[in-house]
Structure formats: C-alpha cells, structure tokens
Amino acid sequence: MILSLSLPPPLPLKPTRTHHHRFLLSPPPSYFSDLRSSRSLHPLRRDGFHLLLSAPPRVSGNGAQSFPIDHSKDAPQPSFFEFITSERVKVVSMLGLALSLCNADRVVMSVAIVPLSAAHGWSRSFSGVVQSSFLWGYLMSPIVGGALVDYYGGKVVMAWGVALWSLATFLTPWAAQTSLWALLAMRVLLGIAEGVALPSMNNMISRWFPQTERSRAVGIAMAGFNLGSAIGLVLSPIIMSKTGLFGPFVIFGLSGFLWVLVWLSATSSTPSRHPQISKYELEYILGKSLKQVMPPTVKQLERTGAIPPFKLLLSKLPTWAIISANAMHSWGYFVILSWMPIYFNTIFRVDLRQAAWFSAVPWAMMAILGYAAGAWSDMLIQRGSSVTFTRKVMQSIGFVGPAIALLGLNSATNPSVASAWLTAAVGLSSFSHAGFLVNLQEIAPQYAGVIHGMSNTAGTIAAIIGTIGAGFFVERMEKSDSNMIKY
C-alpha cells in the first residue's frame, strides 16, 4: 500500500549516495520513527511537497537513509497527441518562448555592433569589450539566482528575470545615445537578469516532467533558446532598415513585457497548483516523479535557515564534470554567437543582412537537433539504458562533433561552405543539452539551481575570455591583411 504523507520541516540531513551518480541528503533514522508514530495521513498537499513510501527506508553503512523506489506497475506512457496537448508542454513552450526572447535580446548587439562601431570609431578589440559587457553581468547572477530559484521556484524568478532583461533591452537606445557608461550599464543589467533564465527553466522542468521526459522537455525549451538567436540575427537587420538602428531593442523589449503578463496568469510553479490540469496528467507526473529516489525538498530545508552545502557539492566529481562541461560548451557557444556576423562580414566581405542570414542557419539547426537529441535520450532510457550511459553518449557527441566541424571550417573558401561547417558545429553541440544540462537535475535535484549557477559562472568566465580574445585576434588579422596590401 502506498501512503501519501505530508512532511513537517525536516531535521538536519546527512549525505548519502545512490545509483546513477546521484548524491542526496537524507534524514536521520529517528525522523522516520517520529513520523510513523504521529500516524498523520493527509491528502496530497497543493504545493506538491510530499513523499510516497512503499517500504521501510533503507539504511546505508554509515547510518544515512535513502528513500525507496515504488515498484508498483508503471503507468502507461501517454500518446504523442496527449503529450503535445498536455499542460506540461504548454509550460515548457512558454519557457522556450522566454528563452527565445532571452537570446534575441542578447544577439541584437551582435548585429548592431557593426554600425555602432562605425559611428563611434570603435576598434574590433573594443567592440569585443562592449559585447562582453553582457557577460560581466551574466557572471554576477547565476549562483545567487540559482539559490533564489531553489527557494522561490522557477515561475517567480523567471518572471522577474524576463521583466528586468526586457527593461534593459528597451532602455538600450536611450543608453547608447547618453554615454558609453550608460550603454555598458544596460548590457550588464541584461546579463544579470538573463543569468537566472536557465536555472529557472531547469527548476520548472524538474517539477513538471518525470525523468523519462526531461530530455525532450529540455530539447523543447532549448529549441526556443536557439531559435531566438536565429530570429534575432534575421529580423534585426530587417527591422533596422525600417525603423532605424535601435528598432529591434524596442520591439524585443516590449515583447518581453507581454510575455511576463501571460506567464503570470497562465502558469503555476508546480502541477498540483495548476487550475486546469487534468487528473490523469497530475497523477502521471507525480506518480512517475515520485517513483524516483527523492529527498525532502530544498524549500523545506531553507525555511529552517539552512544554506546550500557548497562544500559537499564541490567535493563530488559529478559536480566538477558538469562545471567543466559548461565551461567548454560556453567558450565555443558565446564566441560563435558574438562574432559569427562579423566573421562573415570580415572574411567573406558579405553585407550585414547577408551575414545575418548565414549566421542564423546554424542556430536553427541547433534547435532541431537539440530536440532530436532529447527525444533519442528519452527513448534510450525508456528502453533500459542507464541514465549515466545515456548522458555520457550525448555529451560525447556534443563535444567531439563540433570539434571535427570547426577543424573543417578552416578549409572553407566561400560563405556557403563556411555556413555549412558552422551549422554542423553548432547543431551537434546541442547534444550537450541532453548531456550535462539535463544531468543538473539528476545528481542533486534539490540543489539543481545552485549547481547550475556554479557551472554557469565557470562557463561565463570562459565565454568572457573567448569573446574578448576573439576580438583581439580579429583586429590583429585585419592589421595583417592591411599590411600585406600595403606592401
């Protein structure tokens, strides 16, 4: 028999290790004896914080306990139609739209930097500094933002993030016309606000999707993220030609404010709080999720004054594997994102609008392959492959594939060939979303936001170095070309 128990705030927890490289926190044995003696059975709480017990908790050699897995018969998998029309897909679609706006707001400067540099006489290296100012803010917020996500939930933090980065985008025209420092301040604010986007996305997906669907969910959300790059790169030159240099900033900023209004009115932080979710979908999500080994929630812990156990988290190799993977992924991602239009303009002498089209194709491919990688991952897990093996396969493709493609880029002799190699590199890198990005929710689910924040910080440092370094490299290359022409 499976009992639904409403837990009081837990006692101090001890670390314990479970399968699939998951290290969790579990309460001392006395906690369960006290809980059973109370015999207080309650229906499922509306905030979704509850625990299913089907057997006595297992005790490890050091006295720590882990929660049992319910071995009752699995619920049937929903059909494709049921999946795409479910409330959880509507939630992840809204997340994908938010991430699309996130990247569109970010990438507008990659297009606008060309006329801005010409108008202000900025060198290529200084243009790299201006573009990297976004990353200065992005460096500040992930850890704090991740902790806020773990405490307040992804819905609230994502709403604040979108509102603030939309404000920064909307005010960029005013800042650019006021002073360089005002422009840099708006870019820093944009980075601070966008630093909470991915931790919020991970938090919402971990609450709304069982493990067998999370790779697909991340694929949908990250498809929006990558399509945002394509949309920003394609639409920005068109909007600029119709409304002026700063038109895209105003339009994308206003779109973000509209998104916040819809998000707050149409979504909930957990499935059990959603007013329109069906009984079947709620039981499916909670039933599948709670069959996994899960501890008391972090929100309950933090209400007792506990802070994230950074020492414990950083003592685990899986944490460092995710941090290093994020750093390497971000290095290549941000260099390509920031400099691809300038690459086509500088190397192949194509105009800004053509450069934007060549630059947009790789991000569209990344969106497509990202979802395909997620669907493939879920299929492997459903067919019996271990979660660890699946994540390693996806991450290997996400690193080895782009490395080979970027080596091939050196042989490109025209913009079409270069775009093909970059499309392969950027598209294959999306397999990392089904690797380290999903794994964040699995190694320590109650601290996924904090771990995401730490890994994003490492990734941002790598991105700053790569973005500024690319600017100096391009400037030296242009000087070398001009010297060759002169002599």
Side-chain angles (χ1 to χ4, degrees), residues 1 53 207 254 337 380 424 434 458:
M1 179 178 180
L53 300 178
R207 294 184 177 199
L254 292 176
L337 181 68
L380 289 175

Side-chain angles (χ1 to χ4, degrees), residues 19 26 71 131 176 233 371 416 425:
H19 55 280
S26 57
H71 294 289
Q131 292 205 78
L233 289 168
Y371 179 78
S416 298

Side-chain angles (χ1 to χ4, degrees), residues 239 303 365 475:
I239 297 173
R303 282 175 179 166
M365 180 59 68
E475 186 176 359

Side-chain angles (χ1 to χ4, degrees), residues 80-140:
F80 179 73
F81 179 77
E82 289 172 331
F83 176 76
I84 63 173
T85 58
S86 63
E87 293 300 325
R88 62 190 184 279
V89 169
K90 295 175 186 177
V91 170
V92 81
S93 297
M94 284 294 294
L95 289 170
L97 183 57
L99 295 180
S100 180
L101 289 169
C102 172
N103 244 12
D105 291 352
R106 180 187 304 178
V107 83
V108 170
M109 187 58 71
S110 298
V111 178
I113 195 68
V114 176
L116 276 176
S117 298
H120 294 86
W122 295 338
S123 64
R124 292 295 193 199
S125 57
F126 189 76
S127 297
V129 172
V130 173
Q131 292 205 78
S132 71
S133 60
F134 157 82
L135 294 169
W136 307 346
Y138 201 69
L139 181 64
M140 300 177 189

